[in-house]
Every structure is written in structure tokens, then in C-alpha cells.
Amino acid sequence: MSKMNALNKITIIGLGLIGGSLGLALNKKGQIPALVGYDLNLTSVQQAVAMRAVHWGTMSLKLAVEDADLVILAVPVGQIKNTVLSILPFLKDGCVFFDVGSTKESIIKEMSRILPAHIAFIGGHPMAGSEKAGISGAKDYLFENAIYVITPKAEESPENLHKVLQVIEWLGAKPKIMSPEVHDQAVAGVSHLPYLAAVSLVQTVGELGHKIPDAPLLAAGGFRDTTRIAGGDAVMWRDIVLSNQENLIEMIDAFQKQLDQVKEYLIKGDGERLEELFLSSKNLREGIPVSYRGGLPQIYELLISIPDQPGMLSLITGSLGAAEVNIAEIEVLRVRENHEGAIRLAFQHQSDLDKALIILREKGLSVSLPTA
Ligand SMILES: NC(=O)c1ccc[n+]([C@@H]2O[C@H](COP(=O)([O-])OP(=O)(O)OC[C@H]3O[C@@H](n4cnc5c(N)ncnc54)[C@H](O)[C@@H]3O)[C@@H](O)[C@H]2O)c1
Ligand SMILES: O=C(O)C(=O)C[C@]1(C(=O)O)C=C[C@@H](O)C=C1
């Protein structure tokens, strides 16, 4: 990067899940002389410094942003405009704003109304996250392999574009340039509708719980997987859905049509059509790239069938631990009394998976690799 384009000071405004994760990843990369954080909440600033998500933090906006080459806005969508207005007086010429907001069209329009010509705004949206709000959930690997959408103006300077592309590269993410309008239509379907569907599912089961108090007790993996995102922050999601109203209403109509279709097949008892629909959905879902796991790095998995007897878990973890095989994730599946259960293990490296296969089979365990 030439001196003119240097990123000597980057400031992150909003040190929550996304701001904290950005800071952790950028700090780990070690390329930025000054990585500074600001948040309305003092505890978040203190935590960010303690976790080394920033080099230093402050509750003074002026100190935070003066001399910054890039200001990353990681606040809820509804806070972006006011935050930008309060920062503007302290910025040096040539500073670039880069946001992470989940919607783009309304933000970009607002920015073109309020920003002077010498301050650039490049819209961004990392397609990775979690339902955990706040810096405690921040992870340095959150954006690895994730798509990072940017929505620059057609006339944006190559120098400014280069700055945000450099940051995306440091995060290990994959940049994708889109128009704000197309981005918002796409995320209405792949991100915002799933959140509303999860909310509606949770509410439906909540109501069922009034009639059958034990029903929520029976909720297993299927319910948990399809509703995880409903645990997200209410204010963040309120801002997101309100800033993508029209696209989302269209998506809700499309979703309702799908539900009506299934309902019609059910009423008619049309097994053939239902099977066709389920098969086509299975195929469509399998067509979604698997190397990308919502921002998590590639992992290598295996499944172990285990008899229902004490000590199985410690046998597995103990024998892998003794061979210094590092387990990244462990999940106990389908364990019912007097039945075989299964354990899923995940590793960060293919070499760990290979070693684990040998060790566990030597212990007489039935180990398999999951199908795609
Ligand atoms: N959570 C996700 O999965 C996800 C993924 C991609 C993008 N985003 C977007 O990232 C942004 C941040 O989301 P998050 O999940 O990190 O939320 P979060 O609640 O974890 O963090 C937001 C942080 O911003 C701070 N904040 C709020 N208003 C502020 C203001 N006016 N000035 C300074 N700090 C302020 C809060 O104190 C908090 O620390 C949102 O715009 C969201 O749409 C979220
Ligand atoms: O929770 C996750 O795994 C996410 O990826 C969060 C998620 C999404 O589901 O689309 C939610 C909102 C964001 O704007 C981007 C990502």
C-alpha cells in the first residue's frame, strides 16, 4: 500500500459483536499502527481493550476519530446517521467511513445527503454473525471465508476502494461488490426473512405451550437449528427490518405462498407432490456452498456411534488429548436411555481428523465421516 493510501489509524465505533470481532481480527493481523475503539457503553470499551480488540479505547468521539484514515461504523442501523453527524466535525480530509450495517439502500441515500465531498462513505456488510449481542461473543475468526458485501458509488476513488478491500483481506473475508438495492433485495430473502420465520416459529410454539405445557420440552435439534437466530438482539433486528420494509414484505408474501402451497397438498393428502417438494428443497439446499459456514472457518468432522454406558465421552476426549489431537467442537447427538447415541467431533485441520480416525478405531469405536 502506498503512503498516500496508508491505514495508520483505524477507529471502530460500536464495540459489540461485530465491532469487537473486526477489532480482534485486525489486531491479530498486526498491520495497523493505531487501532482505536469507541462505544457509548464504558464497559464495552474496557472489555475491548482487555480483550485486545483495540489498542486503546475512549469515550471521547473527538479523540477516537481525529486523524483516523478509516472509521468503521459497527452500531445498529438506526444509529448510523446520528453517529456520522456527531463525528463529522473531527475528521481529517480524506477519511473514509465504512459501515457494517445489515441494510444498505437507505443508509447510502442518507449519507449522500449529509456528507461533504471530502469525506467518503463506502457501504459494507459482512455476511457473518451470530445471535449473541455484545463484545463477549466477539471472535477473531468470525469473518474468515465469509462474503463481505461492499456497495461503493460508481465514481468512488480507487484509493478509497483499496482501503476497504485491504481491510476485508486482513479479515480473511471475500469481497463482493453489489448495488445497495440488489443487496437489500437479496438479504431480505437470505437473512431477514429467516429471522422473521424463526420469530414466528418461536411464537407459534409459545402459543402451543399454552395448550400443551409439555410441548416446548419436546423441542429437539430441528427446532433449535431453525430458531437459533430468534435469540438475536431485538433493537438490532427492529432497525434492520424497518430499513428493509418493502423488500421484506415482498419476501413474506412469497413465503406465505409457499406455506399455502404445502397446506393445500396436506389438505389433499397429496403425498406425491409433498415428496417432490421436499426432494427439490433438499437438492436446492445441498446446492448452497458448504465450504462457507456462516463465517466460521472450514472444519473437519467425524461421527462416533457410542453405546449408552458411562465413561464413553472421557474415553474419547482422553485418548485424543493424550495424542495431542485438538478437538474444535464436540456435540452429543441422539442420546436416549438404553439406546446407542452419537457424538460429533470437529477439528480445525485435516491432519487432526486423520489421527482421530485411527486412534478412535483402535479403541474399538465405530467412527464414520458425515455425508455432505
Ligand atoms: N449480529 C450480526 O449477526 C450482524 C452481522 C452483520 C452485520 N451486523 C450489523 O452490525 C451492526 C452491529 O451489530 P452487532 O451485532 O455488533 O450489535 P451489538 O449489539 O453486539 O453491538 C452494538 C454496539 O454498538 C454500541 N452502540 C450503540 N449505539 C451506539 C452509538 N450511537 N455510538 C456508539 N456506540 C453505540 C452498543 O453499545 C454496542 O456495544 C448492526 O448495524 C448490524 O446490523 C450484525
Ligand atoms: O447468526 C448468523 O450465523 C449470521 O450469519 C447472522 C446474520 C444472518 O443470519 O444473515 C444476521 C444478520 C446479518 O446482517 C448478517 C448475518
PDB file of all heavy atoms in Angstrom, residues 1 14 51 53 83 117 123 139 147-148 156 158 164 167 184 206 214 249 257 294 304 328 343 348:
ATOM      1  N   MET A   1       0.851  -1.199   0.000  1.00  0.00           N
ATOM      2  CA  MET A   1       0.000   0.000   0.000  1.00  0.00           C
ATOM      3  C   MET A   1       0.890   1.255   0.000  1.00  0.00           C
ATOM      4  O   MET A   1       1.826   1.342   0.794  1.00  0.00           O
ATOM      5  CB  MET A   1      -0.874  -0.022   1.258  1.00  0.00           C
ATOM      6  CG  MET A   1      -1.866   1.102   1.317  1.00  0.00           C
ATOM      7  SD  MET A   1      -2.929   1.011   2.766  1.00  0.00           S
ATOM      8  CE  MET A   1      -4.034  -0.274   2.318  1.00  0.00           C
ATOM      9  N   GLY A  14     -18.578   1.478  18.038  1.00  0.00           N
ATOM     10  CA  GLY A  14     -19.515   0.392  18.353  1.00  0.00           C
ATOM     11  C   GLY A  14     -18.717  -0.883  18.573  1.00  0.00           C
ATOM     12  O   GLY A  14     -18.301  -1.537  17.610  1.00  0.00           O
ATOM     13  N   MET A  51      -9.580  -7.349  25.924  1.00  0.00           N
ATOM     14  CA  MET A  51      -9.524  -8.499  25.005  1.00  0.00           C
ATOM     15  C   MET A  51      -8.557  -8.263  23.851  1.00  0.00           C
ATOM     16  O   MET A  51      -8.400  -9.099  22.982  1.00  0.00           O
ATOM     17  CB  MET A  51     -10.911  -8.737  24.371  1.00  0.00           C
ATOM     18  CG  MET A  51     -11.955  -9.312  25.290  1.00  0.00           C
ATOM     19  SD  MET A  51     -13.600  -9.155  24.531  1.00  0.00           S
ATOM     20  CE  MET A  51     -13.528 -10.352  23.216  1.00  0.00           C
ATOM     21  N   ALA A  53      -9.095  -6.155  21.431  1.00  0.00           N
ATOM     22  CA  ALA A  53      -9.833  -5.922  20.180  1.00  0.00           C
ATOM     23  C   ALA A  53      -9.444  -4.562  19.619  1.00  0.00           C
ATOM     24  O   ALA A  53      -9.689  -4.276  18.441  1.00  0.00           O
ATOM     25  CB  ALA A  53     -11.337  -5.978  20.438  1.00  0.00           C
ATOM     26  N   THR A  83     -24.595   9.037  14.423  1.00  0.00           N
ATOM     27  CA  THR A  83     -23.186   8.824  14.759  1.00  0.00           C
ATOM     28  C   THR A  83     -22.310   9.572  13.756  1.00  0.00           C
ATOM     29  O   THR A  83     -21.375  10.288  14.140  1.00  0.00           O
ATOM     30  CB  THR A  83     -22.861   7.307  14.746  1.00  0.00           C
ATOM     31  OG1 THR A  83     -23.806   6.644  15.566  1.00  0.00           O
ATOM     32  CG2 THR A  83     -21.477   7.029  15.251  1.00  0.00           C
ATOM     33  N   ALA A 117     -18.132  16.547   0.257  1.00  0.00           N
ATOM     34  CA  ALA A 117     -17.420  15.820  -0.809  1.00  0.00           C
ATOM     35  C   ALA A 117     -16.098  15.207  -0.348  1.00  0.00           C
ATOM     36  O   ALA A 117     -15.677  14.174  -0.860  1.00  0.00           O
ATOM     37  CB  ALA A 117     -17.174  16.761  -1.983  1.00  0.00           C
ATOM     38  N   GLY A 123     -20.333   1.686   1.763  1.00  0.00           N
ATOM     39  CA  GLY A 123     -21.215   0.769   2.495  1.00  0.00           C
ATOM     40  C   GLY A 123     -20.622  -0.628   2.514  1.00  0.00           C
ATOM     41  O   GLY A 123     -20.029  -1.079   1.531  1.00  0.00           O
ATOM     42  N   LYS A 139     -15.433 -12.842  18.052  1.00  0.00           N
ATOM     43  CA  LYS A 139     -14.444 -13.883  17.699  1.00  0.00           C
ATOM     44  C   LYS A 139     -13.536 -13.344  16.605  1.00  0.00           C
ATOM     45  O   LYS A 139     -14.015 -12.747  15.638  1.00  0.00           O
ATOM     46  CB  LYS A 139     -15.149 -15.124  17.112  1.00  0.00           C
ATOM     47  CG  LYS A 139     -16.135 -15.785  18.056  1.00  0.00           C
ATOM     48  CD  LYS A 139     -15.432 -16.739  19.016  1.00  0.00           C
ATOM     49  CE  LYS A 139     -16.362 -17.414  19.981  1.00  0.00           C
ATOM     50  NZ  LYS A 139     -16.653 -16.725  21.205  1.00  0.00           N
ATOM     51  N   ILE A 147     -18.513 -13.982   2.933  1.00  0.00           N
ATOM     52  CA  ILE A 147     -18.695 -12.957   1.901  1.00  0.00           C
ATOM     53  C   ILE A 147     -18.812 -11.604   2.604  1.00  0.00           C
ATOM     54  O   ILE A 147     -19.520 -11.482   3.608  1.00  0.00           O
ATOM     55  CB  ILE A 147     -20.003 -13.216   1.111  1.00  0.00           C
ATOM     56  CG1 ILE A 147     -19.951 -14.554   0.368  1.00  0.00           C
ATOM     57  CG2 ILE A 147     -20.342 -12.055   0.181  1.00  0.00           C
ATOM     58  CD1 ILE A 147     -19.100 -14.544  -0.874  1.00  0.00           C
ATOM     59  N   TYR A 148     -18.097 -10.608   2.083  1.00  0.00           N
ATOM     60  CA  TYR A 148     -18.194  -9.251   2.641  1.00  0.00           C
ATOM     61  C   TYR A 148     -18.684  -8.345   1.511  1.00  0.00           C
ATOM     62  O   TYR A 148     -17.939  -8.034   0.588  1.00  0.00           O
ATOM     63  CB  TYR A 148     -16.825  -8.797   3.160  1.00  0.00           C
ATOM     64  CG  TYR A 148     -16.899  -7.736   4.231  1.00  0.00           C
ATOM     65  CD1 TYR A 148     -16.330  -7.929   5.480  1.00  0.00           C
ATOM     66  CD2 TYR A 148     -17.567  -6.527   3.992  1.00  0.00           C
ATOM     67  CE1 TYR A 148     -16.398  -6.959   6.469  1.00  0.00           C
ATOM     68  CE2 TYR A 148     -17.651  -5.559   4.975  1.00  0.00           C
ATOM     69  CZ  TYR A 148     -17.058  -5.785   6.211  1.00  0.00           C
ATOM     70  OH  TYR A 148     -17.135  -4.827   7.180  1.00  0.00           O
ATOM     71  N   GLU A 156     -16.511   6.143  -6.981  1.00  0.00           N
ATOM     72  CA  GLU A 156     -15.613   6.091  -5.812  1.00  0.00           C
ATOM     73  C   GLU A 156     -14.148   6.038  -6.261  1.00  0.00           C
ATOM     74  O   GLU A 156     -13.820   5.372  -7.246  1.00  0.00           O
ATOM     75  CB  GLU A 156     -15.942   4.857  -4.968  1.00  0.00           C
ATOM     76  CG  GLU A 156     -15.258   4.832  -3.607  1.00  0.00           C
ATOM     77  CD  GLU A 156     -15.543   6.101  -2.820  1.00  0.00           C
ATOM     78  OE1 GLU A 156     -16.671   6.240  -2.305  1.00  0.00           O
ATOM     79  OE2 GLU A 156     -14.642   6.964  -2.767  1.00  0.00           O
ATOM     80  N   PRO A 158     -10.301   4.961  -6.559  1.00  0.00           N
ATOM     81  CA  PRO A 158      -9.624   3.676  -6.363  1.00  0.00           C
ATOM     82  C   PRO A 158      -8.881   3.629  -5.032  1.00  0.00           C
ATOM     83  O   PRO A 158      -8.790   2.586  -4.404  1.00  0.00           O
ATOM     84  CB  PRO A 158      -8.633   3.605  -7.530  1.00  0.00           C
ATOM     85  CG  PRO A 158      -9.099   4.609  -8.522  1.00  0.00           C
ATOM     86  CD  PRO A 158      -9.881   5.644  -7.803  1.00  0.00           C
ATOM     87  N   VAL A 164     -10.758  -0.178   1.816  1.00  0.00           N
ATOM     88  CA  VAL A 164     -11.723  -1.129   2.389  1.00  0.00           C
ATOM     89  C   VAL A 164     -11.417  -2.561   1.919  1.00  0.00           C
ATOM     90  O   VAL A 164     -11.600  -3.510   2.678  1.00  0.00           O
ATOM     91  CB  VAL A 164     -13.204  -0.739   2.123  1.00  0.00           C
ATOM     92  CG1 VAL A 164     -13.531   0.619   2.709  1.00  0.00           C
ATOM     93  CG2 VAL A 164     -13.563  -0.794   0.680  1.00  0.00           C
ATOM     94  N   VAL A 167      -8.812  -3.937   4.201  1.00  0.00           N
ATOM     95  CA  VAL A 167      -9.371  -4.373   5.498  1.00  0.00           C
ATOM     96  C   VAL A 167     -10.056  -5.737   5.336  1.00  0.00           C
ATOM     97  O   VAL A 167      -9.871  -6.649   6.147  1.00  0.00           O
ATOM     98  CB  VAL A 167     -10.371  -3.308   6.040  1.00  0.00           C
ATOM     99  CG1 VAL A 167     -11.198  -3.861   7.189  1.00  0.00           C
ATOM    100  CG2 VAL A 167      -9.607  -2.071   6.485  1.00  0.00           C
ATOM    101  N   ASP A 184     -30.013  -5.291  -0.791  1.00  0.00           N
ATOM    102  CA  ASP A 184     -31.143  -5.302   0.149  1.00  0.00           C
ATOM    103  C   ASP A 184     -32.206  -6.323  -0.259  1.00  0.00           C
ATOM    104  O   ASP A 184     -32.827  -6.958   0.602  1.00  0.00           O
ATOM    105  CB  ASP A 184     -31.765  -3.901   0.254  1.00  0.00           C
ATOM    106  CG  ASP A 184     -30.904  -2.977   1.107  1.00  0.00           C
ATOM    107  OD1 ASP A 184     -29.786  -3.391   1.492  1.00  0.00           O
ATOM    108  OD2 ASP A 184     -31.339  -1.839   1.389  1.00  0.00           O
ATOM    109  N   GLY A 206     -44.698 -21.099  21.317  1.00  0.00           N
ATOM    110  CA  GLY A 206     -45.094 -20.460  22.589  1.00  0.00           C
ATOM    111  C   GLY A 206     -46.591 -20.605  22.814  1.00  0.00           C
ATOM    112  O   GLY A 206     -47.053 -20.953  23.903  1.00  0.00           O
ATOM    113  N   ASP A 214     -46.290 -29.311  27.973  1.00  0.00           N
ATOM    114  CA  ASP A 214     -45.070 -30.093  27.772  1.00  0.00           C
ATOM    115  C   ASP A 214     -44.485 -29.932  26.364  1.00  0.00           C
ATOM    116  O   ASP A 214     -43.364 -30.398  26.115  1.00  0.00           O
ATOM    117  CB  ASP A 214     -45.347 -31.595  27.998  1.00  0.00           C
ATOM    118  CG  ASP A 214     -45.203 -31.942  29.474  1.00  0.00           C
ATOM    119  OD1 ASP A 214     -44.664 -31.088  30.218  1.00  0.00           O
ATOM    120  OD2 ASP A 214     -45.644 -33.031  29.864  1.00  0.00           O
ATOM    121  N   ILE A 249     -41.512  -7.220   2.901  1.00  0.00           N
ATOM    122  CA  ILE A 249     -42.949  -7.500   2.729  1.00  0.00           C
ATOM    123  C   ILE A 249     -43.147  -8.403   1.505  1.00  0.00           C
ATOM    124  O   ILE A 249     -43.912  -9.366   1.531  1.00  0.00           O
ATOM    125  CB  ILE A 249     -43.756  -6.182   2.632  1.00  0.00           C
ATOM    126  CG1 ILE A 249     -43.765  -5.509   4.018  1.00  0.00           C
ATOM    127  CG2 ILE A 249     -45.189  -6.418   2.143  1.00  0.00           C
ATOM    128  CD1 ILE A 249     -44.245  -4.086   4.039  1.00  0.00           C
ATOM    129  N   LYS A 257     -46.944 -17.756   0.311  1.00  0.00           N
ATOM    130  CA  LYS A 257     -47.405 -18.562  -0.834  1.00  0.00           C
ATOM    131  C   LYS A 257     -46.865 -19.991  -0.720  1.00  0.00           C
ATOM    132  O   LYS A 257     -47.577 -20.956  -0.992  1.00  0.00           O
ATOM    133  CB  LYS A 257     -46.893 -17.939  -2.150  1.00  0.00           C
ATOM    134  CG  LYS A 257     -48.028 -17.339  -2.966  1.00  0.00           C
ATOM    135  CD  LYS A 257     -47.536 -16.507  -4.086  1.00  0.00           C
ATOM    136  CE  LYS A 257     -47.271 -17.287  -5.365  1.00  0.00           C
ATOM    137  NZ  LYS A 257     -46.766 -16.382  -6.424  1.00  0.00           N
ATOM    138  N   GLY A 294     -21.235 -19.747   7.440  1.00  0.00           N
ATOM    139  CA  GLY A 294     -21.653 -18.575   8.186  1.00  0.00           C
ATOM    140  C   GLY A 294     -20.477 -17.863   8.832  1.00  0.00           C
ATOM    141  O   GLY A 294     -20.566 -17.381   9.946  1.00  0.00           O
ATOM    142  N   ILE A 304     -19.186 -40.521  15.845  1.00  0.00           N
ATOM    143  CA  ILE A 304     -18.861 -41.752  16.567  1.00  0.00           C
ATOM    144  C   ILE A 304     -20.161 -42.313  17.140  1.00  0.00           C
ATOM    145  O   ILE A 304     -20.897 -41.593  17.828  1.00  0.00           O
ATOM    146  CB  ILE A 304     -17.913 -41.467  17.764  1.00  0.00           C
ATOM    147  CG1 ILE A 304     -16.761 -40.563  17.320  1.00  0.00           C
ATOM    148  CG2 ILE A 304     -17.413 -42.751  18.396  1.00  0.00           C
ATOM    149  CD1 ILE A 304     -16.048 -39.897  18.486  1.00  0.00           C
ATOM    150  N   ALA A 328     -11.988 -29.151  18.071  1.00  0.00           N
ATOM    151  CA  ALA A 328     -12.516 -27.782  17.969  1.00  0.00           C
ATOM    152  C   ALA A 328     -13.955 -27.703  18.455  1.00  0.00           C
ATOM    153  O   ALA A 328     -14.369 -26.729  19.073  1.00  0.00           O
ATOM    154  CB  ALA A 328     -12.432 -27.294  16.534  1.00  0.00           C
ATOM    155  N   ILE A 343     -21.778 -39.075  18.794  1.00  0.00           N
ATOM    156  CA  ILE A 343     -21.045 -37.860  19.163  1.00  0.00           C
ATOM    157  C   ILE A 343     -20.417 -37.300  17.893  1.00  0.00           C
ATOM    158  O   ILE A 343     -19.870 -38.052  17.081  1.00  0.00           O
ATOM    159  CB  ILE A 343     -19.959 -38.176  20.212  1.00  0.00           C
ATOM    160  CG1 ILE A 343     -20.655 -38.439  21.549  1.00  0.00           C
ATOM    161  CG2 ILE A 343     -18.960 -37.030  20.344  1.00  0.00           C
ATOM    162  CD1 ILE A 343     -19.739 -38.714  22.691  1.00  0.00           C
ATOM    163  N   GLN A 348      -9.973 -28.518  13.416  1.00  0.00           N
ATOM    164  CA  GLN A 348      -9.627 -27.411  12.518  1.00  0.00           C
ATOM    165  C   GLN A 348      -8.750 -27.870  11.362  1.00  0.00           C
ATOM    166  O   GLN A 348      -8.641 -27.188  10.358  1.00  0.00           O
ATOM    167  CB  GLN A 348      -8.925 -26.308  13.301  1.00  0.00           C
ATOM    168  CG  GLN A 348      -9.935 -25.384  13.963  1.00  0.00           C
ATOM    169  CD  GLN A 348      -9.286 -24.359  14.862  1.00  0.00           C
ATOM    170  OE1 GLN A 348      -8.113 -24.481  15.215  1.00  0.00           O
ATOM    171  NE2 GLN A 348     -10.053 -23.355  15.226  1.00  0.00           N
TER     172      GLN A 348
END
